[in-house]
Amino acid sequence: MMSPDVASDLASPARDNGLIDTLRRRRLNQIASIVSSGLTVALIGYGMDGNWLLAQYLVLALASMLSCLVLNAFRKTNAATVVFLVSLTTLSSALMWVGTGINDVALLTFPAILILAALLVPPRIFFLLLGGMFCFLLFITLATHTFSWRVNGYVTSPWEDLRDSLTILTVSGLVVWLILNDLQKALHSLQTQIESLKESQENLTYLSQHDLLTGLPNRSLGRERIERAIALAERQGTSVAVMFVDLDYFKSINDTLGHAAGDEFLKQVAHRLSSTLRQSDIVSRHGGDEFVLALVDPADEAGVSAAAGGLLESLTKIFTVKDTDVSISCSIGVAMYPHDGHDYETLLRHADMAMYQAKESGRNAMRFFDAGMRTAAETDMHLMTGMRTALSRSEFVLHFQPVFNLVDGSLLGAEALVRWQHPERGLIAPAQFIPTAEKTGFIVELGAWVLREACLQAERWRKEGRSDFEIAVNLSVVQFRRGSIEDVVRHALSISGLPPHCLELEITESILVQDTEQFLVSLRGLKALGVKISIDDFGTGYSNLAYLQKFDVDKLKIDQTFVRAVLDGPKQRALVVAIVQMAQSLNLCVHAEGIESNDVGAAMQSLGCEVGQGYWYAKPITAQEFSVRYCGES
Ligand code: C2E
Ligand code: MG
Ligand code: MG
């Protein structure tokens, strides 16, 4: 029987030559022992019969078996195998020679020896042995019948023949069974390994094609399926609607409920998306909170609109995540094959552009792609490349608009406003490039440059005598989302030497309304540096003013539209009064933007607004002009 350790060795996938050698050694030991037992049985039989000639042969054969076992014990398995096979063949041949020639039962051992040889030794030795057997049988036949060199020896009784045949059969049967048993086990273990390999291959394929969190096809399988749907639509002359779905404000779920809840939520979203569409449609997770869907052969655009409407509606229904009710919306962009593109890449890019438009239109909306979007995107790309070159060629300049104390008219500082000094188009206003810089992320680089330049310039003016000079710099929401704004500000302060309290960072209400954990951390980090924070264009953003209590801001800059209208009537005036009173009650400084006349300035001051800027006092001017006008430089 095969020992359990050998069986487990066989089942182990990491079988090496060392293991096979051990196995061969053990088998040879067993086989030689079984054969020795058979020889001993025969020896006893012939001893009892008084057939000493055969008994002598058997003793010699037993001695050979012993040397085989010794060689094997010394790990000379190959030599031991050869000794084993040769001595058995010789013994059988000798028995035939002294017995009844080729009619002797000893001939029975030849096939068994050949089976063993086929399993244990290389083909060369096997064929040598086979050749040897052939030659011996030819030789004994010729020796008996042609040359009469021998006559058939002793005549055995039928019982002796039966005994010998049974011994030979039992020994060969046992040995063959042992070897075949090994083979069967090896085959079985091979089969198990093949099956487990197949299974792990299937698992790997699944893992490489699916999103582990939601179980949806991942980006690559999604692409493959959509490409197949496009190919089918091309053959059948039908259409495919590729949808780019992006969740609105998903980040706030992660920030407020934690990532585990965020994951759970995404799973539920995936389930809703899949169950809202037809079985034949495609739903895949593109990454993060983005999903790419495809409607296969939709009836018409109205059908696509209806399906997208269904998706919007299903996502706006309340989700329950970890016992908390959560509501969300999404923005969907749609590009149609063949109308908006013929390949996956183009359709996805166009659906993405349309999704962006849906977001811009106020979210929770769906937009079809149209060619205008592509032109706009191309213009953005063109402008962005231009801006990048412009930054490296120092084409951006800062203009400074002075800020005054409205009570005594003294200069408090300035707001730094960026412009692009284009070599051909002249001076370009920020309204023409800031939105694109924000959309493309370039504002992170540009904003860092603005901060550095503004701080350096303010420190120069402080050194020239304006020791209380405060510089205000506008920040974009993108700088909070993508850049490490604290590091940028810290760096600007450190290389310029400007004291932090002389730097005021202007953020808009749209930044505050993000209200994410990351934003709060950034804002706290900025405050910890000692800089001031003001809210720019106050009043144009969101009606919910709760954020004012939450964030530690220093100043409100009332938007120009309110300031300009302050003298237009009692309602307009009441609005300004309300803002000023609220700011005062929160202990915030109030700053009027866009003062275009003396009367407006006076009105704002009388309503309690302490600080202001506007064309009435001065437009934004270059640093040099500013120096001449306000820092006494000639
Ligand atoms: P803002 O921060 O509200 O800047 C005030 C804008 O109002 C400036 O326009 C200024 O020239 C203009 N202004 C000031 N006083 C008057 C006035 O009496 N009447 C009128 N009609 N306008 C007045 P500008 O320089 O064109 O900047 C526009 C906007 O571009 C800024 O609005 C700001 O949001 C953005 N911006 C400018 N520079 C930067 C910057 O470096 N980074 C970022 N992120 N945004 C910037
Ligand atoms: Mg501003
Ligand atoms: Mg403003």
Side-chain angles (χ1 to χ4, degrees):
M1 271 304 279
M2 186 188 269
S3 63
D5 56 340
V6 174
S8 68
D9 284 348
L10 266 175
S12 154
R15 271 173 301 140
D16 52 20
N17 279 343
L19 180 65
I20 291 170
D21 286 348
T22 314
L23 205 58
R24 277 186 59 210
R25 218 170 37 247
R26 285 189 197 170
R27 282 292 163 265
L28 189 63
N29 254 346
Q30 288 173 328
I31 293 167
S33 308
I34 293 170
V35 170
S36 302
S37 316
L39 291 175
T40 313
V41 169
L43 180 63
I44 296 168
Y46 284 111
M48 280 162 58
D49 295 346
N51 191 339
W52 301 115
L53 179 69
L54 292 195
Q56 268 175 38
Y57 290 166
L58 291 172
V59 169
L60 281 175
L62 269 170
S64 302
M65 285 303 125
L66 195 68
S67 55
C68 161
L69 286 168
V70 172
L71 276 172
N72 202 28
F74 283 102
R75 294 175 178 267
K76 304 252 183 265
T77 310
N78 286 340
T81 312
V82 173
V83 169
F84 172 80
L85 294 170
V86 170
S87 51
L88 266 191
T89 314
T90 313
L91 173 69
S92 306
S93 307
L95 290 177
M96 274 188 257
W97 183 265
V98 295
T100 50
I102 58 170
N103 298 325
D104 199 282
V105 285
L107 185 63
L108 274 179
T109 56
F110 276 15
I113 293 172
L114 284 174
I115 291 175
L116 283 177
L119 290 166
L120 297 176
V121 293
R124 200 164 42 92
I125 298 182
F126 171 82
F127 285 112
L128 268 176
L129 203 66
L130 181 65
M133 288 176 178
F134 272 17
C135 291
F136 174 74
L137 292 179
L138 188 65
F139 172 71
I140 199 170
T141 309
L142 288 173
T144 311
H145 300 292
T146 310
F147 303 114
S148 304
W149 289 340
R150 66 174 284 282
V151 283
N152 278 341
Y154 62 88
V155 178
T156 48
S157 72
W159 293 113
E160 278 173 343
D161 279 351
L162 179 67
R163 183 194 64 205
D164 289 350
S165 307
L166 287 179
T167 313
I168 291 168
L169 266 179
T170 312
V171 169
S172 348
L174 258 175
V175 167
V176 168
W177 175 82
L178 255 181
I179 299 283
L180 291 185
N181 201 23
D182 272 2
L183 273 181
Q184 263 180 9
K185 287 206 166 136
L187 273 177
H188 180 73
S189 109
L190 212 64
Q191 182 121 14
T192 320
Q193 278 173 39
I194 289 171
E195 272 164 22
S196 73
L197 203 72
K198 245 196 214 161
E199 200 177 309
S200 54
Q201 251 167 3
E202 276 165 15
N203 281 343
L204 271 179
T205 313
Y206 182 87
L207 288 180
S208 69
Q209 293 187 330
H210 288 81
D211 169 50
L212 289 188
L213 178 69
T214 59
L216 288 180
N218 64 11
R219 195 190 279 227
S220 76
L221 183 61
R223 179 196 180 116
E224 204 180 302
R225 292 199 177 158
I226 293 175
E227 279 176 342
R228 244 184 278 147
I230 292 172
L232 190 72
E234 192 180 354
R235 281 199 299 277
Q236 298 180 339
T238 53
S239 62
V240 177
V242 176
M243 293 182 164
F244 203 109
V245 178
D246 187 286
L247 303 182
D248 300 329
Y249 302 117
F250 168 68
K251 212 180 160 308
S252 61
I253 294 184
N254 260 344
D255 288 343
T256 48
L257 299 178
H259 283 267
D263 284 354
E264 172 59 32
F265 177 73
L266 281 174
K267 274 196 226 169
Q268 294 189 26
V269 167
H271 180 71
R272 278 205 199 166
L273 289 176
S274 314
S275 52
T276 310
L277 296 188
R278 294 171 304 176
Q279 201 82 48
S280 54
D281 294 330
I282 299 161
V283 180
S284 67
R285 182 164 177 219
H286 199 59
D289 61 348
E290 294 170 348
F291 297 85
V292 172
L293 282 48
L295 305 187
V296 180
D297 191 15
D300 49 18
E301 278 204 2
V304 178
S305 289
L311 290 170
L312 288 172
E313 199 190 317
S314 85
L315 288 195
T316 41
K317 286 187 191 138
I318 297 287
F319 288 84
T320 307
V321 182
K322 300 215 182 280
D323 298 329
T324 310
D325 283 351
V326 179
S327 71
I328 202 163
S329 59
C330 69
S331 303
I332 305 177
V334 184
M336 299 288 294
Y337 168 86
H339 185 264
D340 302 326
H342 286 86
D343 59 276
Y344 172 82
E345 288 287 352
T346 314
L347 288 163
L348 190 72
R349 205 172 55 244
H350 289 169
D352 188 16
M353 284 178 196
M355 186 278 292
Y356 200 83
Q357 290 295 314
K359 284 242 185 261
E360 293 220 316
S361 73
R363 296 164 200 258
N364 193 22
M366 181 275 264
R367 287 283 176 277
F368 277 102
F369 171 79
D370 69 56
M373 290 180 193
R374 185 176 46 214
T375 319
E378 280 166 5
T379 312
D380 279 349
M381 257 347 266
H382 190 67
L383 191 58
M384 209 268 288
T385 322
M387 283 192 284
R388 219 154 250 131
T389 320
L391 189 63
S392 67
R393 289 187 189 157
S394 308
E395 286 174 14
F396 286 105
V397 287
L398 286 187
H399 281 193
F400 297 87
Q401 186 174 35
V403 173
F404 294 97
N405 180 329
L406 295 184
V407 183
D408 61 14
S410 61
L411 179 84
L412 295 174
E415 177 175 2
L417 295 154
V418 69
R419 273 104 181 83
W420 181 357
Q421 187 63 62
H422 197 282
E424 287 142 28
R425 291 163 60 191
L427 198 65
I428 305 179
Q432 289 182 50
F433 60 85
I434 292 279
T436 302
E438 289 188 328
K439 230 186 269 180
T440 55
F442 176 67
I443 194 73
V444 175
E445 284 166 68
L446 182 61
W449 177 85
V450 170
L451 255 167
R452 220 172 35 240
E453 289 302 307
C455 290
L456 284 167
Q457 184 57 60
E459 182 58 14
R460 259 178 241 133
W461 283 327
R462 268 173 34 83
K463 285 204 177 115
E464 283 166 14
R466 290 265 172 204
S467 57
D468 296 332
F469 195 88
E470 282 185 15
I471 189 80
V473 176
N474 294 282
L475 292 187
S476 153
V477 65
V478 184
Q479 286 172 277
F480 280 88
R481 266 195 234 130
R482 296 209 199 161
S484 166
I485 189 68
E486 295 112 287
D487 291 344
V488 174
V489 172
R490 195 180 298 117
H491 180 67
L493 289 173
S494 90
I495 61 159
S496 64
L498 186 74
H501 71 269
C502 295
L503 177 62
E504 179 184 312
L505 299 173
E506 296 189 7
I507 55 180
T508 56
E509 285 171 285
S510 60
I511 300 184
L512 291 175
V513 97
Q514 303 280 313
D515 191 7
T516 60
E517 191 54 38
Q518 186 203 345
F519 171 71
L520 271 174
V521 170
S522 297
L523 201 63
R524 277 193 212 115
L526 289 176
K527 285 297 292 182
L529 291 176
V531 301
K532 291 182 179 147
I533 306 283
S534 65
I535 297 179
D536 202 1
D537 305 340
F538 183 79
T540 55
Y542 295 81
S543 50
N544 181 0
L545 297 176
Y547 66 81
L548 282 179
Q549 293 168 308
K550 201 160 168 186
F551 303 114
D552 188 10
V553 297
D554 302 273
K555 187 197 255 187
L556 294 189
K557 290 184 77 172
I558 307 178
D559 190 65
Q560 311 189 3
T561 46
F562 298 102
V563 175
R564 227 176 281 143
V566 71
L567 297 176
D568 288 0
K571 275 190 188 160
Q572 287 84 346
R573 188 183 153 88
L575 267 176
V576 173
V577 171
I579 295 175
V580 172
Q581 279 175 356
M582 183 195 61
Q584 283 171 346
S585 66
L586 289 170
N587 220 5
L588 303 178
C589 169
V590 209
H591 178 132
E593 287 192 290
I595 301 173
E596 290 187 351
S597 71
N598 192 23
D599 294 346
V600 169
M604 291 306 291
Q605 192 253 312
S606 71
L607 292 176
C609 192
E610 306 134 48
V611 182
Q613 70 189 92
Y615 289 176
W616 169 250
Y617 306 104
K619 286 192 170 182
I621 47 178
T622 63
Q624 207 188 357
E625 283 175 289
F626 198 98
S627 297
V628 173
R629 272 210 229 168
Y630 302 104
C631 301
E633 210 178 86
S634 56

